[in-house]
Amino acid sequence: MLDIAFVKPALPRSGALVLPLPEGELPAGLARAAEEATGGLLSRALDAAGFKGRKGQSATLWAPVPGLARIVAVGIGKPGELTPEAAEAAGGAIAPLVASEREALLAADALPPALAAHLGFGAMLRSWRFDRYRTTEKEEDKPKLERLAIAASSVPEAKSAFAPMRAIADGVFLTRELVSEPPNVLDPAEFAERCKGLEKLGVEVEIMGPKELKRMGFGAMLGVAQGSAKEPRMVVMQWRGAPRTRKQKPVALIGKGVTFDTGGISIKPAGGMEDMKWDMAGAGAVVGAMAALAGRKAKADVVGLIGLVENMPSGTAQRPGDVVKTYSGQTVEVINTDAEGRLVLADVMWYCQERFDPRCMVDLATLTGAIIVALGHEHAGLFSNDDELAQRVAAAGKGVGEQVWRMPLGEAYDKQIKSDIADMKNVGGRQGGSITAAQFLQRFTNGRPWAHLDIAGTAWSSKDLPVAAKGATAFGVRLLDRLVAEMAEEG
Amino acid sequence: MLGIRFRRAAPDPALPLLVPVEEGGALPEGASAAADAARFKAGVGRLLDLPAAPRRALVGLGRAPGRLDCERAGVAAARAFGSVPHLLVEARSLAPAQAAALASGLALGAWRFDAHRTRQEGPRLGRVTLLAEDPAAARAAFAPLEAALRGTLLARELVSEPANHLTTRSFAKRLEALAEFGLHVDVLGRKRLTRAGFGALLAVGAAAETPPRLAVLRWRGSFDAPPVALIGKGIVFDTGGVSIKPAGGMAAMRADMAGAAACAGAMLALALRGSPAPAVAVLPLAENAVGAESYRPGDVLRTLSGRTVEVVDTDAEGRLVLADALHHARTAFRPRAMVTVATLTGAVVRALGTERAGLFGNEESLMASLAAAGEAVGEPLWPLPIGAGHRADLASEIADIRQCVPAGGAGWAGRFIPDASHAAAFLRDFAGGAPWGHLDIAGVDTQEAPHALGPSGATGFGVRLLDALVAARFEAPDHHAAP
């Protein structure tokens, strides 16, 4: 993992020098110093390369002066208009350009210290990779850069701005790791065990196994789990960070954690089924968010609950047509065993609101393919029974570059999940499939303010993104962190 | 259409009687026992038959009923009194606007498409007499509603017509007949389309026996301003072409011209109520057939705009004909705003079901006006995104843009294509920066079951919405004018 260190501005003697450059003139400081050290070669070479400082542009000068391996220029757009999000994207663009160097200095001395921190945050997020299972990769193909030094105009200010980002990055990386792990390694028990790791950050972690779940009556969740040899788990995480003087109801985060989803008896087509290892990305995001909040000592009370199961076809598997009794007492006719996420969430959500009396519940789930048909991969679907909460979730997402798009709910959609023999059925047909899934969940909110994020299109990326290499994105961690910050830590 | 009259007195006291009642309002004498027994609370559209001869029934209007509540009540009542030839309505307790809306609902609910039935199946609701304190005031309130109503019923009829009866030619003829109401109608045939370079429309219609057409309907309005342009997809039948559709359900594809029908209906509504707003409808009509002249997946077409399009799937033909129509609308009329209406994608049905149509656009205030108009008339929309990624997905290796994204990309997610957003991203390129809104009505043009505003079958979705949009946004000459 790339480490970030903030240093006083001084031209490096070796490795790479990275210059974030705005449009127009070279900024004062290290950029000008580099121009002098190269005898004007820097600006001539940038001109020749057509580099204008526009966002997304970059140019590399090899061995511009003795000792220095390269100067990398990265465009940051019009001077003075760099936003935190754009700074992170620029940082993300820098990471792969200098990954093969042993040392690199990023010259952010002409920018406000907070933006220097965002540059570092972006570089750090983008450079994460999952190579636990590579055994034959050649040394020269591996990234070498372990520490990116960032020259800042004020080192203490940049450091203090970066401290919470480091904690958030740790949460993001935890999530990405959980999401990337193969399903033979990360089963429900192993997932729960890894949640225990949060105890060292001060999070209380409780793990419940099949016995407790059965005793409590988690019929829907157990129905999903019964086809697998792997036992289900529910993990309850509590972070009590609110000052004694400002105690309030906790914010509740709930995640779908299907460690592998074959679809069960309603089995999925073979093509692409390997992707179903990340059908626990909602739970992964909740765990990462708890780690981020605890890591930065968030002044809020937050509970995180995840339901962990594996959905397998077998002689003991749940059948289409089965009726299960949820923890809430409501019954569900299982029409399609591949609509299992909502069954797991139903029990966990009801339990959550009953035990914690939360001020709001936010659930994250890779719930439906239909949400990709509706929105694609740039937005997660947002469903909510509370306009104010929905607005807050959307604002938090916008603020951290994890965009959500509000989708409708309504009585007409709710009718689609009426069952002939039970209180409801678990699918409402192809039409409006993400909405009917959300309607199902809404029946387990007990009227609490609730928001549901369908992250099936955003949890995993088939191409590189500004601050995430292709693969697990950890979508939701930063959004939840920001939501808690703005909702529960203000004032 | 249902014959509707407003009268001060009943022509015949022996007629079956409908009594609208407000929630919490007074019930007619002798009705409270039945209402209690049946738990009738006068919710919108709830009906209660009273033990009486001639037949007498209450219909609920809900609390403080507005236009839409009264219309819904009327639709429900028409359903209940479907076999009554002449219905009397006690509307003397209603405001003129409420009585008018109730009448509009009765007509929406009583509509049937009988053009191809050769036998009558018993009596039908044919006439309604509404008793009003001030019949003239009720009639005046009914006039604008009747315009939208007639437009809606025109659209329903066109959508219901099967494709062997509604060919591109006969569709164009029926549009030409709207000249009677003051619309100026011009139909471009194959020659003119070829000369002008409608490459996309011509390709889509190439394999069909009846050739493609572009129908242009103009309403002059009463002030001098650029028109609002309505652009409707008019695929009279969609086999899918070479990328042929599965057989199951293909019959529904006779409705693939519902966008054009909605625009035509809206133009009729504007004309009938003498809207001051200049308006134009540009309707590309074609049949997407399979034949030796079919265009193919892989073809590159040169659209009217000069832009080239790589065809990926001949069943994504709607966006192609709309691309040419949008460009024509924009360049020929310099409109202050453009709205495309189309049964465009299955994806929008996957996304929103059959309750709401998808709303896209390039200008927030126009989109807000469209959404508000839809809510007001009971044709609700829901906004969906056009993201940078959606447009980027349309990059073609050999042409300026590709028409859609092939299914079956990488991994589990490759099965799921946000085609409604892709289609909208495609169309946006041809809107050329003019204020543009787009309604993907694939899920709402036809309903399988009776719904709040009509019987099962064609809905005429969009007519009332577009009429309300024009009334709310485009009937002042300078307000919201395009820069």
Side-chain angles (χ1 to χ4, degrees), chain B residues 38 113 134 175 276-277 472:
Chain B
F113 183 67
D134 182 353
L175 294 173

Side-chain angles (χ1 to χ4, degrees), chain A residues 323-399:
Chain A
V323 172
V324 295
K325 186 165 188 173
T326 64
Y327 177 65
S328 73
Q330 300 175 86
T331 57
V332 179
E333 182 184 11
V334 178
I335 300 296
N336 186 327
T337 65
D338 195 16
E340 82 297 336
R342 63 200 73 176
L343 294 169
V344 174
L345 288 170
D347 281 346
V348 178
M349 282 169 57
W350 192 269
Y351 175 84
C352 173
Q353 59 85 29
E354 187 181 81
R355 173 169 168 190
F356 292 107
D357 184 26
R359 58 189 292 191
C360 67
M361 298 197 284
V362 181
D363 82 79
L364 285 85
T366 48
L367 206 61
T368 66
I371 201 66
I372 309 177
V373 178
L375 302 176
H377 301 280
E378 287 167 89
H379 296 89
L382 164 65
F383 301 82
S384 181
N385 60 2
D386 185 295
D387 287 344
E388 194 200 329
L389 177 61
Q391 192 274 326
R392 280 177 181 273
V393 170
K398 202 170 170 62

Side-chain angles (χ1 to χ4, degrees), chain A residues 268-269 271-272 274-276 278 368-370 372-379 405-408 412-413 430-433 435 456 463, chain B residues 347-356 382-390 393 410-413 415-421:
Chain A
K268 291 177 189 288
E274 69 282 3
D275 281 346
M276 287 301 100
W278 50 261
T368 66
I372 309 177
V373 178
L375 302 176
H377 301 280
E378 287 167 89
H379 296 89
W405 189 275
R406 184 109 186 244
M407 293 286 288
Y413 296 109
R430 270 174 73 83
Q431 304 177 338
I435 306 173
K463 53 184 184 228
Chain B
V348 83
V349 192
R350 207 68 209 280
L352 299 175
T354 57
E355 296 306 313
R356 291 173 179 274
W382 191 268
L384 289 171
I386 305 176
H390 294 131
D393 289 343
W412 171 79
R415 232 184 331 262
F416 306 104
I417 310 279
D419 190 45
S421 292

Side-chain angles (χ1 to χ4, degrees), chain B residues 290-372:
Chain B
V290 190
E293 301 291 325
S294 283
Y295 76 126
R296 304 155 203 82
D299 283 1
V300 172
L301 310 177
R302 189 179 184 84
T303 63
L304 181 65
S305 70
R307 247 174 255 246
T308 55
V309 177
E310 181 185 6
V311 177
V312 170
D313 182 334
T314 63
D315 195 16
E317 81 297 334
R319 64 200 75 177
L320 295 175
V321 303
L322 288 173
D324 277 354
L326 265 170
H327 185 79
H328 180 69
R330 185 168 67 84
T331 51
F333 301 104
R334 306 261 160 225
R336 59 205 295 202
M338 301 195 287
V339 181
T340 45
V341 187
T343 48
L344 206 57
T345 67
V348 83
V349 192
R350 207 68 209 280
L352 299 175
T354 57
E355 296 306 313
R356 291 173 179 274
L359 167 63
F360 301 84
N362 63 5
E363 199 201 60
E364 278 195 20
S365 83
L366 176 61
M367 289 171 71
S369 294
L370 281 162

